[in-house]
Each structure stands twice: as C-alpha cells, then as structure tokens.
Amino acid sequence: LEPSLVANAALPNKVLQYLAAGLPVVSTKLDGLFSVFESVSEIYWASDAKSVIRTAAALRVDDLEGLVLKSEALSVLDKFSPKNSVDSFEEDLLRIAKGARS
C-alpha cells in the first residue's frame, strides 16, 4: 500500500498471516503497521511501492534460509490470540466506563 491517511491506519491481514506462517514480509512503512511490528526482524520496511519490489526481488533463497523463526510466528499468534483480544477489549470497555463516570 502507498502511505496515505487511510493506508497508514491499516493493519493488513496478509502481514499477520505471512508472519504467522513464518514468512518474511516486505512492506511500505505504514504508521499503524510499523507501530505494532517495528521490532520484528522478518519485516523489511520500504519507503514506497517501487522500493518494496526492489527489496523483495533482492531477497534470494540463500538470504531466506534461517530467517523463518518459530518464535516470531508464535509471538504474532500470541499477540493476536482470541484471549488477548478479549482481554484488550475488556480493558478498553472498563477504561471507557470509568471515563464516563468521571
């Protein structure tokens, strides 16, 4: 995606799916995506669509060997697990309810 007001808020499902499968990702540096995954070593950040293509093309099979880490896939699955999602949702509801009472 080209960075824009709407795209910067995106969290593309395909990124989560590729990471959960242990695959590397090349992506434009969208604000929302970057804020969640800036420290994930399996994401190669690019400034624009042309850079994404160049970066992806530069990855060779040799470069990818050993890159797929189960720990990264597990951390993605854990971060977006149903339990963590429900817990986060409940925390947000409690915060909103407390704010409404103030």
Side-chain angles (χ1 to χ4, degrees), residues 25-100:
V25 175
V26 180
S27 176
T28 46
K29 197 172 180 179
L30 304 174
D31 293 343
L33 190 61
F34 185 74
S35 70
V36 174
F37 293 108
E38 66 183 297
S39 63
V40 173
S41 60
E42 280 71 28
I43 298 183
Y44 296 83
W45 301 106
S47 58
D48 55 39
K50 286 183 182 180
S51 296
V52 167
I53 294 168
R54 271 190 238 110
T55 303
L59 292 174
R60 301 172 308 191
V61 173
D62 293 344
D63 298 331
L64 300 177
E65 282 189 32
L67 184 66
V68 178
L69 303 174
K70 288 184 181 177
S71 63
E72 289 294 346
L74 291 175
S75 71
V76 169
L77 293 174
D78 182 51
K79 187 175 222 171
F80 294 98
S81 72
K83 181 184 179 338
N84 285 347
S85 297
V86 169
D87 290 347
S88 177
F89 182 65
E90 288 174 346
E91 288 171 13
D92 289 344
L93 288 176
L94 289 172
R95 198 173 7 228
I96 290 168
K98 287 178 184 176

